[in-house]
Amino acid sequence: MPGEGGDRPDFAGIVSGAPLAVRMRPASLDEVVGQQHLLGPGSPLRRLVEGSGAASVLLYGPPGTGKTTLASLISHATGRRFEALSALSAGVKEVRAVIDLARRRLTAGEQTVLFIDEVHRFSKTQQDALLAAVENRIVLLVGATTENPSFSVVSPLLSRSLVLQLQSLSEDDIRTVLQRALTDERGLGGRFTITDEAVDHLVRIAGGDARRALTALEAAAETGAEQITLELVEKSVDRAAVRYDRDGDQHYDVISAFIKSLRGSDVDAALHYLARMIVAGEDPRFIARRLMIQASEEVGMADPTALQTATAAAQVVQLVGMPEAQLALAQATIHIATAPKSGSVTAALGAAIADVRAGKAGLVPAPLRDGHYAGAQKLGNAIGYKYPHDHPDGVLAQQYPPDELVGVDYYEPTDHGAEREIGPRVGKLRRIVRG
């Protein structure tokens, strides 16, 4: 609810049981690692963090680069109250509730920083609800996004905000973050030593993401060994990956399990992995894209309506947004998982592509060629073409493929679902067309 935990963030008060990445979140601008291109003297971001700036800001950059940290520091430095919403779970109602709360605070002389994580996931309606509050400075908006806001944030909101691009941390930055976590009392407090090889591996798997590095380090430290070695880190990465999913970042194992559960018709497992992705903060557009692909790849003509359902779910994601769109994603998941399965679409296209790549791409038969330009008939193009609709059955004997591919079958219907009826029809059509 808005207002709960709405005070300025108290980094010193973070409980010791919090994740290492949370405990090590910078408490001041001096502790921020990286992003020096945005934190130079007099820069807009520095002015905001130091409390002398008043513009709303969109922080755009990869995960683990400090977007949430900077938003918290802005609130802490300015003395404003801090409210945080996630675009994954908040709707227009929640946005308006925070704005109403900020308006009441303003009458009492208090200002509010509204932090919206993954703001690009807000629908146009949700973003429009912010406009008046941002323009009238009822709230200082700090939006965080991993996607280019030029393509995902509405123009009126974009024009009222500073857009600042954060960069992935360098290897040296990640080393600094790890070393600080090892020695700082908020972190591991010097209770562990670590080998150079282990540090190198943590830097490599971090990929410029400080949170990923700290999560992996914490997983290794939880084994209880006094020295963190390369072998220990490698064994601990799987545990870190699971936690990292829960903290809201992509992990390929989950989407892989989701796809395989859909293919295997285990609707309950598919819903479980869908729920994990939703809770983890997976981009719903990514989930929708996978569902559309699965509808053709795994179901295909066994149930042609599966693709319609998946496409409709993608439209709901785009037009309605989360959290409501998660119901459409669940509906598409259930449809695909419970539908009869057929890989015939994938197999048919693969076989056709293989022949083309093997050089089996002869001349288009003359009757099928374009005959609309001057001189086409002199070349024999379009002469002798038989118009199927002139025949009572709408289908007649005529050569359509190149000579080299006459009689080749690519599409092989299964006897699953709708293909039980399609199969005999395909056979009949081939006999008529091929004469």
Side-chain angles (χ1 to χ4, degrees), residues 201-343:
H201 187 63
L202 287 169
V203 170
R204 280 194 300 273
I205 64 175
D209 184 333
R211 187 166 59 245
R212 188 193 298 266
L214 291 174
T215 302
L217 175 63
E218 183 177 29
E222 286 176 347
T223 62
E226 294 183 0
Q227 184 178 57
I228 298 172
T229 63
L230 172 60
E231 182 181 8
L232 192 62
V233 170
E234 289 176 336
K235 289 180 178 178
S236 304
V237 165
D238 287 341
R239 291 198 301 277
V242 172
R243 182 177 306 154
Y244 196 59
D245 272 332
R246 192 173 66 240
D247 288 344
D249 289 275
Q250 295 182 11
H251 188 265
Y252 293 113
D253 282 351
V254 174
I255 190 63
S256 175
F258 179 61
I259 290 168
K260 289 170 182 174
S261 299
L262 290 171
R263 180 184 300 141
S265 300
D266 190 329
V267 62
D268 304 296
L271 285 167
H272 165 76
Y273 291 117
L274 174 66
R276 280 178 64 166
M277 289 188 287
I278 289 172
V279 172
E282 179 62 80
D283 187 338
R285 293 173 298 177
F286 174 71
I287 301 173
R289 287 194 295 269
R290 290 308 319 179
L291 286 168
M292 287 188 287
I293 292 168
Q294 295 307 106
S296 291
E297 184 176 357
E298 311 297 352
V299 178
M301 296 303 295
D303 182 358
T305 65
L307 181 57
Q308 297 172 12
T309 301
T311 303
Q315 289 180 312
V316 173
V317 168
Q318 184 67 29
L319 298 176
V320 178
M322 298 294 270
E324 292 87 352
Q326 64 189 16
L327 296 175
L329 293 174
Q331 182 177 345
T333 295
I334 293 169
H335 188 151
I336 294 170
T338 57
K341 301 299 186 292
S342 172

Side-chain angles (χ1 to χ4, degrees), residues 34 67-68 72 91 105 116 127 142 228 276 345 366 381 396 429:
K67 298 185 291 295
T68 305
S72 300
R105 285 175 178 164
I116 299 180
Q127 293 184 35
V142 180
I228 298 172
R276 280 178 64 166
V345 170
N381 293 358
L396 44 74
L429 291 171

